[in-house]
Amino acid sequence: MPWDISEHAAYAGGLATRVAELRQRFPDALVTCDVAGKFPGPELICWNGDPREIWVWVFEPDDAAGMRRAQARLGQFLAAPHDLASVVDKPVVAGPNGVFEKDSVTASSYFDVDGRIEVRSGPGDGIQLFRAFGIEGFDDIDQRVAINLVLGAAYKADRDSREALGFRRESLSPHSRGDERD
């Protein structure tokens, strides 16, 4: 889906916010995210928040169409979660929205101190909705710099989780810290 810069910033900012919350609440869990929006499945995955299951969340814009897409995408993924279940033999479930401290979180935008990014829990577990507001009047260079900052924060959150838990950088497969295999 082609996103405008504000929508992409809201997506990445909301995702980074929820990744940070999960990492704080479950420091021994692996939290991975799809910053680039390229994976057809969930954008946020938490391995071992609950040792018996894998939690997933989808992120969509905070409007009626986004909510419908989120429900359809989540249902479709949960019906056939082969990509995740084949890595670790655990049930894949809609991530409990109750694990987030607040139902709705608003953060400053990287675009402007007057701009805001909001992410909130959707109508059911596993759905997160994002929006940007108060973002206008910026030139292309400012926007490119801003989106790079917010994407960098989300990528760093994903990378730090993987590295801290001994996961290969581009893989979901665990390995021992002394293992030299690629």
Side-chain angles (χ1 to χ4, degrees):
M1 126 169 73
W3 287 345
D4 69 26
I5 196 82
S6 297
E7 189 174 8
H8 198 172
Y11 166 79
L15 190 55
T17 299
R18 291 308 200 195
V19 166
E21 288 180 85
L22 288 172
R23 289 189 66 214
Q24 182 175 8
R25 177 125 188 235
F26 303 101
D28 295 328
L30 172 67
V31 180
T32 64
C33 60
D34 182 20
V35 179
K38 293 183 177 179
F39 182 56
E43 284 81 20
L44 180 59
I45 305 168
C46 183
W47 311 75
N48 292 330
D50 180 315
R52 297 174 308 264
E53 56 195 21
I54 300 167
W55 295 338
V56 298
W57 291 267
V58 297
F59 281 63
E60 287 286 347
D62 191 4
D63 57 25
M67 200 172 311
R68 284 191 303 275
R69 263 193 318 276
Q71 290 168 328
R73 288 181 54 228
L74 182 63
Q76 184 178 24
F77 182 80
L78 291 177
H82 305 298
D83 289 342
L84 297 183
S86 65
V87 175
V88 179
D89 189 22
K90 293 182 183 181
V92 178
V93 301
N97 289 339
V99 300
F100 300 117
E101 187 174 319
K102 296 180 180 174
D103 178 62
S104 176
V105 177
T106 301
S108 294
S109 169
Y110 285 96
F111 286 110
D112 175 30
V113 292
D114 295 327
R116 296 289 180 264
I117 293 169
E118 180 181 18
V119 60
R120 71 178 181 92
S121 296
D125 284 345
I127 296 175
Q128 294 290 301
L129 304 170
F130 61 86
R131 71 183 182 109
F133 52 97
I135 298 173
E136 291 182 17
F138 295 90
D139 66 30
D140 289 342
I141 292 172
D142 289 339
Q143 290 184 357
R144 281 195 296 272
V145 168
I147 195 64
N148 284 333
L149 289 172
V150 74
L151 289 174
Y155 277 120
K156 183 179 183 319
D158 183 44
R159 185 189 67 239
D160 288 353
S161 280
R162 290 172 184 268
E163 289 177 358
L165 295 166
F167 275 65
R168 292 188 185 117
R169 188 169 186 191
E170 297 301 327
S171 170
L172 297 177
S173 302
H175 70 284
S176 66
R177 291 194 181 270
D179 192 346
E180 297 300 322
R181 291 176 294 159
D182 288 326

